[in-house]
Amino acid sequence: MKTSTDRMLTRIKSIYLYIKQRGTVTTNELVEEFGITQRTIQRDLNVLEYNKLVESPTRGKWSVTKKKTRVS
């Protein structure tokens, strides 16, 4: 059984990959796609933003930055 930290990291990785694939997405689109609350999505986006992996050029819209990543 995965710990809550493992689940959170897996979810954040999935969100990042989803945004990378789609280009620009809205917070509401992420809520619908992942079936979790807007508050949880916002916390996950804050983690990604803190690590300079995503940015919000317009309120409520998100896109990935040019920071190089290696997804394992």
Side-chain angles (χ1 to χ4, degrees):
M1 188 164 155
K2 285 187 168 187
T3 65
S4 61
T5 302
D6 289 341
R7 285 192 306 270
M8 179 190 71
L9 291 174
T10 300
R11 187 180 65 239
I12 288 173
K13 180 178 168 182
S14 296
I15 291 168
Y16 173 76
L17 292 173
Y18 182 83
I19 297 170
K20 190 172 184 174
Q21 179 185 25
R22 294 287 176 124
T24 301
V25 299
T26 65
T27 304
N28 288 333
E29 184 180 341
L30 293 170
V31 168
E32 290 176 21
E33 177 67 25
F34 291 92
I36 52 181
T37 66
Q38 187 159 355
R39 180 67 188 118
T40 300
I41 285 290
Q42 195 58 56
R43 278 194 302 263
D44 294 347
L45 288 168
N46 287 342
V47 170
L48 290 167
E49 187 175 35
Y50 178 81
N51 287 288
K52 298 180 179 16
L53 295 172
V54 299
E55 60 189 0
S56 181
T58 306
R59 184 174 166 94
K61 293 192 178 185
W62 296 88
S63 58
V64 296
T65 63
K66 295 185 190 293
K67 184 175 181 178
K68 292 193 184 258
T69 57
R70 184 184 62 167
V71 179
S72 55

